[in-house]
Amino acid sequence: MFPVWATGIIFAAVYAQMSTLFVEQGTMMDTTIGSFSIPPASLSTFDVISVIFWVPVYDRVIVPIARKFTGKERGFTELQRMGIGLFISILCMSAAAVVEIVRLQLAKELDLVDKPVAVPLSIFWQIPQYFLLGAAEVFTFVGQLEFFYDQSPDAMRSLCSALSLLTTSLGNYLSSFILTVVTYLTTQGGKPGWIPNNLNEGHLDNFFWLLAGLSLLNMLVYIVAAKRYKQKKAT
């Protein structure tokens, strides 16, 4: 079970961006609606809305359709469900990178590269990445809990369920480590780096592409581990 568990750490590192770099990206976008200003961190509400949306859709729509093709009561196995979530996390990081590319292009066109000010691009363009992250969460985190509960030895179910939650904390540590390494490497020679204080002169999009690439490699490793895994019949 360990290789399957380990692949959840990269996913958790992607999930950690919701409360870190997604917020930083939002601070450099247009947060106003008329006279009202939206706190960038509040867009994580759309992650919650996405989870609320996808849970019933998964149970009432996706599972019955999948059941017809797979013949399985749950529609997908836990491993298949987790794999779908890992794939969606790649789309999430790609969406965040595309938004940042558009934002930087607009900053260049308006000559705002050297100015630490928000670019007139609505913060609501971040909604797709939050929505995709919520969908990935429904597939991966729930699949993880089911997998570790069903496949663990009977006397170790509580421990193994806790191990699935441990990936969240390790993912946050990994996210901080990657950020530290990237900052060190990209600021050599006096360069501003990918993630400077003024994001208009940085390349946050490259960091998102990096996470998308790591997520892709992680998914490939996961596929190999999942194919070699022998299912235990739940008791």
Side-chain angles (χ1 to χ4, degrees), residues 96 118 123 144 148 155 168:
I123 195 172
Q144 269 188 342
F148 284 105
T168 303

Side-chain angles (χ1 to χ4, degrees), residues 81-127:
R81 184 170 184 172
M82 292 164 62
I84 293 170
L86 294 179
F87 175 73
I88 297 175
S89 71
I90 299 173
L91 300 181
C92 171
M93 285 294 99
S94 299
V98 169
V99 169
E100 185 62 13
I101 289 172
V102 174
R103 196 192 69 79
L104 290 175
Q105 184 61 37
L106 192 57
K108 187 180 295 183
E109 292 174 358
L110 299 176
D111 196 26
L112 299 175
V113 174
D114 297 323
K115 302 173 184 177
V117 296
V119 170
L121 179 67
S122 176
I123 195 172
F124 288 113
W125 283 104
Q126 283 192 310
I127 291 178

Side-chain angles (χ1 to χ4, degrees), residues 25-33 38 118-124:
Q25 184 185 42
T27 60
M28 301 301 286
M29 300 175 73
D30 183 11
T31 60
T32 59
I33 299 180
I38 303 171
V119 170
L121 179 67
S122 176
I123 195 172
F124 288 113

Side-chain angles (χ1 to χ4, degrees), residues 15-107:
Y15 185 75
Q17 306 313 309
M18 180 178 67
S19 57
T20 54
L21 291 181
F22 281 10
V23 178
E24 290 292 325
Q25 184 185 42
T27 60
M28 301 301 286
M29 300 175 73
D30 183 11
T31 60
T32 59
I33 299 180
S35 59
F36 181 73
S37 180
I38 303 171
S42 68
L43 255 72
S44 60
T45 304
F46 288 100
D47 171 73
V48 178
I49 294 173
S50 177
V51 171
I52 294 172
F53 171 81
W54 280 108
V55 167
V57 168
Y58 180 84
D59 286 337
R60 301 294 183 181
V61 180
I62 298 176
V63 169
I65 294 174
R67 189 182 293 139
K68 293 179 181 179
F69 292 96
T70 63
K72 299 181 183 297
E73 183 181 353
R74 294 180 179 178
F76 299 106
T77 65
E78 298 92 344
L79 291 172
Q80 289 172 335
R81 184 170 184 172
M82 292 164 62
I84 293 170
L86 294 179
F87 175 73
I88 297 175
S89 71
I90 299 173
L91 300 181
C92 171
M93 285 294 99
S94 299
V98 169
V99 169
E100 185 62 13
I101 289 172
V102 174
R103 196 192 69 79
L104 290 175
Q105 184 61 37
L106 192 57

